[in-house]
Amino acid sequence: MSSHEKHDVETSSGHDIAPATSTASNGLALKPTALERERAEQLARLPDPDAGKSPEERAEIDRKLMWKVDLWLIPWLSLLYLLSFLDRTNIGNARLAGMENDLHMFGTDYNLSLTIFFISYALFEPLTNTLLKRLTPRIFFTGIIVAWGIIMTLMGLCHNFAGLLAARFFLGIAEAGLFPGVNYYLSCWYKGSELGARSAIFFSAAALAGSFGGLLAAAISKMDKIGGVAGWQWIFIIEGLATVFVGLFCWWMVFDWPETARFLSEDDKIRLQRRIIQDRQGHAATDFDKKYIYEALKDWKTYGYMVIYMGCLCPLYAFSLFLPTIIAAIGYSGTTAQLLTVPPYAVAALATVTVGFIADRTRWRGYCNIAVVLVGIVGFSMLLGSGDPHVQYAGTFLGAFGIYPTISNSLSWASNNIEGSLKRAVAIGMIVGWGNLNGVVSSNIYISTQKPRYLTGHGVVLAYQVLFLLGGTIFMHFALKAENKKRLSGARDNMNDGLTDEQKLVRGDNRPDFIYTT
């Protein structure tokens, strides 16, 4: 088995794995399934460094191992995503610092500069996990981060609107690989039941980027005219150079797979590989096997999660790109407006991590989405229905709370229920790509002529949350519960009758013994 195949293991399910052998109702052992044979073969290739230890001793060793992995992976990856989100959304802060006047932008020019980013971002995002697996994570992450840092820096040297559009287009291409790439990368290190909390911490960096971006922009904009460079240009230049600096360190901070991690002992490398193999509910997909791609395309769950995720992403980008504009419309300007963008994001970051831990512990991903989005619906109803600045500002807090936790929770939910690493990579690519394509909608709903109420913008966000996020979540929750009921009752036991072992393996989560997370 190659190093790459070793890590193409299924970590999607948080449910307990099947025992090494199956047992019939009369107590007699049944012939091991193809899955059980495959798992046993893979484990046999790896020695057990903890042979003879008690379950309590093994649990303590495992706890210390994962703490070590957490400390190395999560802070660094979160920093990368903070920079990513900061670099794509700081254009809102630059707008407050006078970018439109200097670049002679009028009417919907600002909206177009946002739209062009999402076109390239959404088109290239589904392709990036394939590139990551071919190049290895170290080369891939270092390359894309240095590339977008350079583009960000050059954006600060733009002297006209056309230059800004070109920079935003290439920024979308360079940034497209980070979010899906990190989600796949984490699945090579963690069990499915551990992904939600880690993804939530990672994604909370997006909210922190909003807070940090407002503080940083308030400080950098004070450099206006230093060296003959405008304050908004310094925002792009300094944040771009910081990204390049951090990106270069990826070569030493990112390890391709657990067996190449220098921060782990040889025994810990083996432990990590064994725990991932043991977590699998299903077959490890063969790289680039078209059968698994077709399975992702045919799976109704892929399209269900695409609907949910578009309900997450349109509100996310509308909020992050236009919060400075909304704050300015309420009646604040300059440094005060920049600083007032910070507290809503801080609330969003805390909510994201909290909901991530709750969802991992309870496995109630559908219920968590429903509870969170209801808060967001209240927040945007306040923004839509009131002209009172205090009510509107309070609405931004509830709006942020109702948006950010649903991103990581929805993707973890999809990962839990889509089995087979290649099928999951394709499905997640489709889900995330479609979600980000809705950034085009987000970019064009806050119309400058509707200042200060922005009724179209708030109304569209509210509709996305009610129809797609809430409606899609309710549908998926009850559809999966109904399917689980059929499988547990034995009504699906014959669903794979007549299929060969290989055909059954390709079916992935479409097996009668796979129980969905609801």
Side-chain angles (χ1 to χ4, degrees), residues 307-308 310-311 373 377 460-475:
V307 170
I308 292 173
M310 68 187 286
V373 72
I377 289 170
V460 170
V461 169
L462 190 59
Y464 262 75
Q465 289 192 309
V466 172
L467 296 175
F468 304 128
L469 181 48
L470 180 59
T473 295
I474 291 173
F475 166 79

Side-chain angles (χ1 to χ4, degrees), residues 129 180 183 302 411 414-415 418 423-433:
N129 273 358
N183 275 280
T302 301
L411 281 183
S415 293
I418 299 173
K423 177 183 176 182
R424 189 173 71 250
V426 173
I428 294 297
M430 291 172 63
I431 293 164
V432 173

Side-chain angles (χ1 to χ4, degrees), residues 306-429:
M306 285 170 67
V307 170
I308 292 173
Y309 205 60
M310 68 187 286
C312 297
L313 267 286
C314 178
L316 169 72
Y317 287 124
F319 188 87
S320 59
L321 291 169
F322 287 96
L323 181 61
T325 302
I326 294 169
I327 297 296
I330 291 174
Y332 300 97
S333 61
T335 301
T336 302
Q338 302 278 18
L339 294 176
L340 282 174
T341 64
V342 175
Y345 284 120
V347 170
L350 180 61
T352 300
V353 175
T354 302
V355 171
F357 276 98
I358 292 172
D360 266 7
R361 292 291 182 89
T362 63
R363 314 299 296 167
W364 293 347
R365 299 208 183 275
Y367 288 130
C368 286
N369 257 13
I370 292 169
V372 169
V373 72
L374 287 175
V375 176
I377 289 170
V378 172
F380 277 93
S381 296
M382 292 166 65
L383 283 164
L384 185 64
S386 176
D388 186 325
H390 298 94
V391 173
Q392 288 190 310
Y393 189 56
T396 65
F397 283 83
L398 298 182
F401 184 100
I403 293 171
Y404 283 81
T406 64
I407 313 296
S408 53
N409 185 56
S410 296
L411 281 183
S412 296
W413 194 11
S415 293
N416 290 162
N417 290 333
I418 299 173
E419 188 183 78
S421 67
L422 184 57
K423 177 183 176 182
R424 189 173 71 250
V426 173
I428 294 297

Side-chain angles (χ1 to χ4, degrees), residues 8 126-127 129-131 133-134 283-303 306 418-431 502-503 505-510:
D8 243 356
L127 309 175
N129 273 358
T130 299
L131 188 61
K133 293 165 78 174
R134 286 191 180 277
H283 178 62
T286 305
D287 281 350
F288 311 113
D289 190 329
K290 292 181 180 179
K291 291 177 292 188
Y292 294 91
I293 297 175
Y294 294 148
E295 284 297 315
L297 293 173
K298 293 189 299 182
D299 195 332
W300 66 273
K301 299 190 305 299
T302 301
Y303 302 98
M306 285 170 67
I418 299 173
E419 188 183 78
S421 67
L422 184 57
K423 177 183 176 182
R424 189 173 71 250
V426 173
I428 294 297
M430 291 172 63
I431 293 164
E502 180 60 28
Q503 288 172 326
L505 290 174
V506 176
R507 296 279 288 167
D509 51 86
N510 291 315

